[in-house]
Amino acid sequence: MLKVNADVSFNKTSKKAAVAAIVCDVTRQIKGGDTLILKSSSASPAEAFAIQFGMTFAIKNGLSNVIFESDCLDVVNRVKSKIFSVWESASIEKDILNLLLSHPSFSLVYDPRACNRTTDWVAKGTLAECCPCDWTTFIPQGLKLLL
């Protein structure tokens, strides 16, 4: 069983967002991950995109039996209830649902912010352009302290 934690750091002024996805095993060892900087109208679609980004990363890397974790309760609830009421993120949330339905070994859960400090650290560092490119191979000390 693997966990993919997805998170976003969003700058309201610049409308810039950094998404991060971290793959961990049951012992919380980092097994991979990725980041991306993008433009977003608000935090909600960026949060949804972070989950979709994590799922796409898992699929591209042939992962199965994956629990996807997000600290955005609103997005998780909309996907699980199949009620896509926020127009900015509705198409992304529908895609997340379709990915879950087409990959039966995937599941999506809410994970409080206190549990995703590592992904938050990577997303914030990426947005600030100070997260090393090789963070999954050579884990920075600040990130090691959060594991």
Side-chain angles (χ1 to χ4, degrees):
M1 182 65 64
L2 296 170
K3 291 185 178 186
V4 175
N5 196 291
D7 200 13
V8 66
S9 182
F10 179 71
N11 182 308
K12 290 179 187 177
T13 306
S14 68
K15 301 290 186 192
K16 202 161 107 172
V19 296
I22 297 180
V23 180
C24 291
D25 63 15
V26 293
T27 65
R28 301 212 33 91
Q29 294 297 310
I30 294 177
K31 297 298 179 185
D34 203 0
T35 59
L36 180 70
I37 295 178
L38 59 123
K39 287 285 200 178
S40 183
S41 57
S42 67
S44 184
E47 289 280 4
F49 184 81
I51 298 168
Q52 181 190 47
F53 181 71
M55 294 178 129
T56 303
F57 180 84
I59 292 164
K60 284 181 181 176
N61 287 281
L63 305 180
S64 59
N65 297 320
V66 182
I67 299 171
F68 295 90
E69 301 174 327
S70 171
D71 67 352
C72 188
L73 183 59
D74 291 340
V75 171
V76 171
N77 283 343
R78 286 193 298 267
V79 170
K80 288 185 170 225
S81 68
K82 302 175 187 167
I83 299 173
F84 308 108
S85 57
V86 177
W87 70 269
E88 294 174 306
S89 57
S91 63
I92 301 168
E93 292 166 2
K94 288 176 185 175
D95 189 50
I96 292 167
L97 178 61
N98 287 331
L99 289 170
L100 287 168
L101 293 173
S102 64
H103 295 84
S105 70
F106 287 1
S107 62
L108 174 64
V109 299
Y110 168 70
D111 194 26
R113 181 170 298 273
C115 297
N116 82 335
R117 294 179 309 164
T118 55
T119 313
D120 182 64
W121 187 94
V122 171
K124 285 180 177 171
T126 300
L127 188 62
E129 298 180 2
C130 64
C131 187
C133 295
D134 59 355
W135 63 269
T136 58
T137 306
F138 302 103
I139 300 171
Q141 189 61 34
L143 185 55
K144 282 182 185 178
L145 294 172
L146 298 174
L147 294 173

